[in-house]
């Protein structure tokens, strides 16, 4: 198959329309069989539930070209499960897990010409999503929904590749206790847009959100979980019911323990103890692991010993091992890699 003529090495994290997307409609209590289509437009009622009350959930995952030229995805079963939880929380019907995985595989296969080649530094981002389509004016769930999957080739999420980031502790809250912080719903991102724009205007790359109840514990950023390394080489990641359960973070904990022989724990992390860590990174499908060099807490700077030019040594090992698994250089734990072709 001939690849598209794209400058793979210089892609940013943006949308490029690809040839096919998967669409399935939910009506009268069931999903239709769905199909791949070349039509990238969505036509819905002016009063659709998604437009009025933001009834929409989504996922983010990637397809990779391995060293030996296969196209693979990483743990799509976990994205299917997380989307199931997101849908239930917003009173939306569940798109069945096996059908979710099949729709992802079919969409990637149909757009194989857009999957960046091995070694280009780019990947094919996959966006499954679902939204309420029929008119809803009183606040209640829609009766009709659309599930779609599109793909777009992407480069690094943060400009500057692996240059360490500067993050500020923000006074905005991302998620309330017992709210929706743990699901991947558009509403969590709408409210983060002002906070991230404000951070950018003040020269920061991202926001560190604290727990809304006590403002003493580290939660996450607008689009990634935190991972810390202690001075004695232990990997620590914040535990909270109001952060998104990152598939990258869960995978990194396993990699730390089973590939690198490191101790790793998920526990509450207070803002007060952040100054004592040796390394810090942001992890997620888009961010992979992006090193954090500095955190600014209302003018007080926390500078990690790993510095502002390179990834810390443990972060680097985690990064290389995880990407090694995703790109087929290292053997993956059973079930992590789904081969597409
Ligand atoms: C708020 C938030 N946290 C964490 C993550 C990381 O999750 P994952 O590793 O499953 O991509 C994401 C998505 O990338 C996110 O949007």
């Amino acid at each position: 198959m001939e690849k598209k003529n794209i400058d793979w090495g210089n892609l940013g994290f943006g949308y490029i329309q690809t040839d096919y997307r998967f669409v399935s409609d939910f009506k009268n209590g069931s999903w239709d069989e769905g199909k791949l289509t070349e039509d990238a437009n969505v036509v819905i009622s002016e009063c659709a539930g998604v437009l009025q009350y933001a009834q929409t959930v989504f996922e983010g995952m990637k397809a990779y070209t391995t060293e030996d030229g296969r196209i693979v995805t990483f743990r799509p079963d976990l994205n299917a499960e997380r989307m199931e939880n997101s849908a239930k929380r917003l009173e939306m019907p569940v798109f069945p897990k096996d059908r979710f995985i099949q729709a992802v595989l079919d969409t990637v296969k149909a757009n194989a010409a857009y999957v960046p080649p091995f070694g280009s530094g780019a990947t094919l981002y996959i966006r499954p999503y679902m939204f309420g389509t029929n008119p809803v004016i009183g606040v209640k769930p829609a009766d009709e929904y659309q599930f779609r999957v599109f793909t777009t080739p992407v480069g690094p999420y943060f400009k500057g590749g692996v240059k360490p980031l500067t993050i500020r502790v923000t006074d905005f809250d991302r998620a309330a206790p017992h709210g929706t912080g743990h699901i991947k719903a558009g509403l969590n991102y709408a409210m983060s847009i002002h906070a991230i724009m404000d951070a950018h205007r003040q020269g920061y790359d991202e926001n560190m959100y604290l727990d809304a109840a006590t403002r003493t514990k580290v939660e996450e950023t607008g689009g990634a979980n935190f991972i810390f390394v202690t001075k004695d080489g232990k990997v620590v990641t914040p535990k909270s019911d109001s952060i998104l359960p990152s598939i990258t973070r869960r995978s990194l904990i396993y990699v730390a323990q089973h590939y690198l022989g490191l101790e790793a724990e998920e526990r509450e992390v207070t803002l007060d103890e952040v100054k004592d860590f040796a390394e810090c990174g942001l992890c997620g499908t888009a961010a992979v692991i992006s090193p954090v060099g500095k955190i600014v807490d209302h003018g007080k700077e926390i500078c990690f010993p790993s510095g502002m030019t390179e990834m810390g040594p443990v972060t680097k090992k985690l990064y290389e091992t995880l990407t090694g698994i995703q790109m087929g250089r290292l053997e993956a734990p059973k079930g992590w890699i789904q081969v597409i072709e």
Side-chain angles (χ1 to χ4, degrees), residues 227-307:
I227 194 144
F228 297 99
V229 181
T230 63
K231 290 196 171 120
D232 56 1
K234 190 196 281 183
V235 176
V236 176
T237 169
K239 186 179 172 75
S240 160
D241 291 336
S242 46
I243 65 175
L244 192 76
S246 159
I247 294 162
T248 314
R249 183 248 301 163
R250 287 182 267 164
S251 304
L252 285 169
I253 294 292
Y254 185 92
V255 162
Q257 291 168 331
H258 299 272
Y259 281 67
L260 302 176
L262 299 172
E263 258 183 78
E265 65 174 352
E266 193 187 344
R267 62 161 170 85
E268 287 188 344
V269 173
T270 62
L271 177 60
D272 279 349
E273 65 177 308
V274 167
K275 62 177 182 341
D276 300 325
F277 289 118
E279 298 175 39
C280 173
L282 302 184
C283 65
T285 297
V288 193
I289 313 181
S290 300
V292 174
K294 194 197 291 184
I295 295 177
V296 182
D297 175 16
H298 301 88
K300 210 169 65 220
E301 293 196 346
I302 299 168
C303 298
F304 294 103
S306 51

Side-chain angles (χ1 to χ4, degrees), residues 58-61 79 82 125 157 174 181 183-184 188-189 220-226 243-250 283-288:
F58 67 102
E59 273 303 321
M61 49 208 292
N79 293 96
R82 193 168 63 188
Y125 187 75
Y157 188 67
R174 176 182 174 276
I183 62 164
K184 207 159 168 72
N188 288 331
Y189 298 82
E220 60 175 330
T221 68
N225 283 178
F226 278 102
I243 65 175
L244 192 76
S246 159
I247 294 162
T248 314
R249 183 248 301 163
R250 287 182 267 164
C283 65
T285 297
V288 193

Side-chain angles (χ1 to χ4, degrees), residues 51 83 97 99 136 138 152 157 188 197 199 227 257 316 333:
L51 298 179
M83 188 144 168
K97 179 172 165 177
R99 293 202 56 200
V136 173
T152 182
Y157 188 67
N188 288 331
M197 290 309 290
I227 194 144
Q257 291 168 331
K316 190 159 189 206

